[in-house]
Amino acid sequence: MDFATLKAAWPWTGIVGCPGRFVLKDARFALTPADLLGPDVPVSEHRSPSARDVVLVARWADGGLISYRRPDGGCLHTLNTPEGLARKLAQLGIAPA
């Protein structure tokens, strides 16, 4: 997976005030990271005191996906450039890989 492929495949919109970060505009919150990335992309699961939901992270050379899994199983997905990913993971207290 790479940033350009994922950005072209789904409707993303920039997050205001967060350069290098985009949120999935699709209202079908039942999509999982595997639905977006395919089954072969590894996704790690994290808890952060800065996030109310479970944080799911997939990383690749030119960015990554941060998804927030809600209690009902739905997800909010954010696509990130390397800089946006590093900044957000630092805010969440999740170590870079």
Side-chain angles (χ1 to χ4, degrees), residues 27-49:
R28 295 178 291 153
F29 291 111
L31 292 171
T32 67
D35 293 329
L36 300 175
L37 304 171
D40 297 328
V41 175
V43 177
S44 58
E45 185 173 307
H46 308 270
R47 291 267 181 199
S48 168

Side-chain angles (χ1 to χ4, degrees), residues 2-3 10-11 18 20 28 31 33 36-37 40 48 50 55-57 60 62 65 68-70 75 82 90 95:
D2 62 67
F3 181 88
W10 297 91
C18 295
R28 295 178 291 153
L31 292 171
L36 300 175
L37 304 171
D40 297 328
S48 168
S50 302
V55 181
L56 306 171
V57 180
W60 50 85
D62 66 343
L65 183 77
Y68 302 89
R69 187 174 60 219
R70 297 179 170 151
C75 289

Side-chain angles (χ1 to χ4, degrees), residues 6 12 15 21-24 33 36-37 43-44 46 51 54-60 63-69 75-81 84-92 94:
L6 193 56
W12 302 93
I15 299 173
R21 299 195 67 231
F22 304 84
V23 65
L24 183 63
L36 300 175
L37 304 171
V43 177
S44 58
H46 308 270
V54 173
V55 181
L56 306 171
V57 180
R59 306 168 208 233
W60 50 85
L65 183 77
I66 300 174
S67 301
Y68 302 89
R69 187 174 60 219
C75 289
L76 173 71
H77 303 285
T78 63
L79 176 62
N80 304 269
T81 64
L85 181 68
R87 189 177 64 252
K88 188 60 184 181
L89 291 179
Q91 289 172 354
L92 292 168
I94 298 171

